[in-house]
Amino acid sequence: MAEEAGMFTVPQTIGTVLCCKCGIPMAPNAANMCVKCLQSEVDITEGLQKHVIILHCPECDKYLQPPRTWIKAQLESKELLTFCVKRVKNLNKVKLVHAEFVWTEPHSKRIKVRLRVQKEVLNGAILDQTCIVEYVQQEHMCESCTRVQANPDQWVASVQLRQHVSHRRTFYYLEQLILKHDAAVRAIKIKLMDQGIDFFFGNRNHAVKFVEFLGKVAPIRSRHDKQLVSHDSKSNNYNYKYTFSVEISPICREDLICLPPKLAGSIGNIGPLVICTKVTHSIALLDPFTLRHCFLDAEKYWRVSFKSLFTSRQLVEYIILDLEPISSEVNVGESKYVLAECQVARVSDFGKNDTIFNIRTHLGHLLKPGDYALGYDLYNANSNDIDFDKHKRLNLPEAILMKKSYEEKRQEKHGKARPYKLRSINMDVDESQSRAEQEKMSSEYEQFLRDLEENPEMRFNISLYRNKEYQPSEIASMTDGEDLPSVPLEELMADLDISDEEDVDESMRE
């Protein structure tokens, strides 16, 4: 401002002084010493602990926070860095400026952390120094893992998860949700059962928390019971084993449902023939003839407790002969539908008869003449549903289309690797299963992978990892210019190297 006003200013210069030990010019400070001489005189990291022993549980991958707390932390994570910094003694005597990991071999049982600290020394001069603290990792099982190793059946609470349907596609999806949210990380044992999965916990609160998680991702109902194990009459202590029975709704995605008359009237006279388009903590229902939709929560469903009229295992393949849209595009949640009048014929009828059906479908935005579609054959169906008999004068269509079929194109890519892999839970499996049961589970898992490829909404809630065995050059364009639905590479997680980590690779399923 003085220069702008035309005033004369005296330039200021910063003087230098000589270091009192080595005599080099330096900026003046309170100790009149250069940085090197000051560091040779004073070591502010002298009182810090440079070697620390930490206890690690190899079974549950936790670290002991004295005196008795075990915390879970991955290598080079924020949680592990915080844990390591807190274990350094006398750190409160200096000011911590920065902390970071120094890379070490993962199998060396050594963790190194570089600390940068500051402290005021010699007449107010602030000294900044770095030091490396080495943590020696000693293997020591925690109490819960010790009990489990001594007696694997020493559980306190069990969750029996069941769904009374003829397939396991729901459990494959739930498995991915559980892995993503680490919902069963406290389970000491997981066992695969005939119509579900059993989870065993060492604490009742862990089982209650797991049941609450299931209620947020699926329409369930649960009940619990307890059994007395032991009783100490002197101290009046009781030991119980708790059992939680959890049942998942038998309604699955792509099921055809005939709503009970009272329920159809209470939700706006929708249907009564509806299809299930999505299952979360509520059931999404869609009328394929009017595009009206509703959401049925778990409480309302279990109050009525109806079953499916047809399931996805009864789908029949049709070919689209002609199609004409009769409505504009309608958004139902994240999905889009268009009503259309179409002419279809069963693929199995080709060369046998000339049976053709004129039906209405909600897939007008997806199908075109010449495409194949999967649907329910109501023309030859014989239903014994009680709710269906309650509806009088109900005109059934000859067929209801559910989704587009890519079976013919999939046969061309049969046996080729997919660009993604899924993790799986380490479960105890009954090795006495017959070959037919194993082939059935493999077929259902293959169908689950196809559903993931066709439905982006399902992929949104689960984690998919890149497959190193996949070669992008294998992608071949189809003769009609349309590729099979697949998982885009940008949706895959790249932070897990499946091929390099043998332990993880063994728990992967293609």
Side-chain angles (χ1 to χ4, degrees):
M1 298 223 9
E3 293 179 358
E4 293 177 359
M7 298 176 62
F8 174 75
T9 56
V10 179
Q12 296 182 356
T13 58
I14 300 177
T16 59
V17 297
L18 299 179
C19 175
C20 64
K21 289 186 69 70
C22 63
I24 65 170
M26 51 163 267
N29 57 38
N32 285 332
M33 281 193 221
C34 63
V35 176
K36 290 185 178 180
C37 295
L38 194 57
Q39 290 178 348
S40 64
E41 288 286 328
V42 180
D43 183 12
I44 63 175
T45 65
E46 184 178 1
L48 298 182
Q49 189 178 7
K50 304 295 177 33
H51 297 275
V52 184
I53 297 177
I54 56 177
L55 299 182
H56 172 256
C57 178
E59 297 294 327
C60 58
D61 198 22
K62 294 181 180 179
Y63 295 88
L64 177 62
Q65 177 72 48
R68 298 180 60 183
T69 305
W70 290 84
I71 62 173
K72 187 175 182 62
Q74 300 294 331
L75 287 176
E76 297 195 0
S77 63
K78 293 182 179 179
E79 294 80 8
L80 183 58
L81 184 61
T82 303
F83 166 76
C84 291
V85 170
K86 289 183 177 179
R87 293 301 311 276
V88 180
K89 294 182 180 179
N90 301 325
L91 191 60
N92 56 344
K93 296 182 179 180
V94 294
K95 179 182 178 182
L96 179 63
V97 178
H98 182 68
E100 62 181 356
F101 285 107
V102 178
W103 189 89
T104 56
E105 174 63 36
H107 302 288
S108 65
K109 305 298 181 183
R110 298 291 189 275
I111 300 175
K112 292 184 179 181
V113 178
R114 180 183 288 112
L115 302 179
R116 181 184 169 192
V117 295
Q118 290 181 351
K119 186 179 181 181
E120 183 179 333
V121 296
L122 297 179
N123 304 323
I126 297 178
L127 187 60
D128 190 319
Q129 285 186 354
T130 60
C131 67
I132 293 181
V133 181
E134 184 180 77
Y135 298 84
V136 180
Q137 182 176 306
Q138 291 185 358
E139 303 299 341
H140 185 276
M141 283 197 298
C142 60
E143 295 179 2
S144 59
C145 292
T146 304
R147 289 197 299 266
V148 172
Q149 289 292 329
N151 184 5
D153 295 328
Q154 200 174 29
W155 53 270
V156 175
S158 68
V159 178
Q160 300 174 349
L161 184 61
R162 298 290 185 271
Q163 186 185 34
H164 302 295
V165 292
S166 58
H167 59 83
R168 301 187 65 87
R169 288 164 57 190
T170 303
F171 292 102
Y172 291 135
Y173 181 66
L174 274 178
E175 181 181 12
Q176 299 304 316
L177 292 179
I178 292 171
L179 284 170
K180 182 175 182 179
H181 298 279
D182 286 336
V185 69
R186 302 274 188 179
I188 60 177
K189 183 182 178 183
I190 302 176
K191 187 176 182 180
L192 184 67
M193 305 301 291
D194 183 25
Q195 287 188 323
I197 307 174
D198 285 354
F199 298 84
F200 299 92
F201 298 89
N203 191 309
R204 179 182 180 274
N205 293 334
H206 298 160
V208 172
K209 189 176 180 180
F210 181 68
V211 173
E212 291 177 353
F213 168 79
L214 294 175
K216 296 177 181 178
V217 298
I220 65 169
R221 65 176 176 181
S222 63
R223 59 185 180 87
H224 63 276
D225 198 0
K226 62 182 180 180
Q227 180 182 5
L228 181 63
V229 177
S230 63
H231 171 223
D232 187 353
S233 58
K234 295 182 178 179
S235 60
N236 202 25
N237 289 332
Y238 294 83
N239 292 326
Y240 293 97
K241 279 194 174 182
Y242 302 88
T243 302
F244 295 83
S245 178
V246 181
E247 182 181 357
I248 304 175
S249 164
I251 304 299
C252 300
R253 194 173 61 88
E254 299 175 354
D255 284 0
L256 180 63
I257 303 164
C258 182
L259 295 175
K262 291 184 179 180
L263 179 61
S266 65
I267 57 178
N269 289 322
I270 188 174
L273 282 180
V274 295
I275 58 178
C276 177
T277 58
K278 188 177 181 181
V279 179
T280 55
H281 61 281
S282 60
I283 303 173
L285 303 176
L286 174 71
D287 189 336
F289 312 113
T290 62
L291 298 187
R292 296 178 61 193
H293 65 282
C294 68
F295 294 91
L296 201 65
D297 59 20
E299 181 182 356
K300 201 166 190 177
Y301 167 78
W302 289 111
R303 197 183 305 142
V304 183
S305 187
F306 54 86
K307 293 184 178 181
S308 300
L309 189 63
F310 294 98
T311 65
S312 57
R313 297 178 64 88
Q314 299 168 279
L315 289 171
V316 178
E317 193 171 21
Y318 290 85
I319 185 171
I320 310 300
L321 303 177
D322 191 18
L323 186 138
E324 182 180 354
I326 60 175
S327 75
S328 57
E329 192 173 77
V330 177
N331 294 328
V332 179
E334 298 180 2
S335 303
K336 298 178 181 179
Y337 302 103
V338 173
L339 277 180
E341 297 286 349
C342 66
Q343 193 176 67
V344 301
R346 287 188 296 255
V347 174
S348 59
D349 289 343
F350 274 19
K352 298 181 181 179
N353 56 57
D354 298 329
T355 306
I356 296 175
F357 305 114
N358 294 307
I359 62 173
R360 177 175 290 189
T361 180
H362 62 292
L363 303 176
H365 66 296
L366 192 61
L367 300 175
K368 61 180 183 295
D371 286 345
Y372 291 88
L374 295 175
Y376 293 111
D377 183 10
L378 302 183
Y379 182 75
N380 294 324
N382 184 14
S383 174
N384 295 322
D385 190 81
I386 299 177
D387 296 324
F388 179 76
D389 297 335
K390 293 180 181 178
H391 292 278
K392 299 179 180 179
R393 300 178 182 178
L394 179 61
N395 295 324
L396 285 178
E398 288 83 2
I400 296 180
L401 301 183
M402 292 301 301
K403 62 180 181 179
K404 188 174 180 178
S405 175
Y406 302 92
E407 190 63 31
E408 194 172 304
K409 297 176 182 179
R410 281 198 172 97
Q411 292 178 0
E412 301 178 19
K413 295 185 65 177
H414 180 70
K416 295 184 179 180
R418 286 182 163 89
Y420 63 91
K421 282 190 175 183
L422 299 175
R423 294 179 62 190
S424 60
I425 297 177
N426 185 18
M427 288 185 277
D428 294 341
V429 183
D430 186 7
E431 297 181 356
S432 62
Q433 286 183 340
S434 64
R435 184 174 180 180
E437 292 176 344
Q438 295 176 358
E439 291 178 353
K440 177 186 175 184
M441 292 182 64
S442 299
S443 175
E444 291 172 352
Y445 189 73
E446 174 66 23
Q447 185 59 46
F448 168 69
L449 295 180
R450 294 179 180 181
D451 291 342
L452 285 181
E453 295 167 354
E454 297 177 11
N455 195 337
E457 291 186 48
M458 290 181 63
R459 302 197 299 265
F460 180 77
N461 294 322
I462 65 177
S463 299
L464 295 93
Y465 302 95
R466 293 191 178 182
N467 183 7
K468 284 283 190 177
E469 300 176 1
Y470 175 72
Q471 299 295 332
S473 59
E474 294 181 1
I475 301 179
S477 60
M478 301 302 169
T479 55
D480 58 355
E482 183 181 354
D483 292 337
L484 276 170
S486 59
V487 180
L489 292 178
E490 57 268 17
E491 292 186 15
L492 305 182
M493 298 180 65
D495 59 343
L496 178 63
D497 195 345
I498 300 174
S499 63
D500 292 342
E501 296 188 15
E502 297 179 357
D503 295 338
V504 179
D505 186 52
E506 292 176 357
S507 65
M508 294 290 184
R509 280 188 283 189
E510 295 183 6

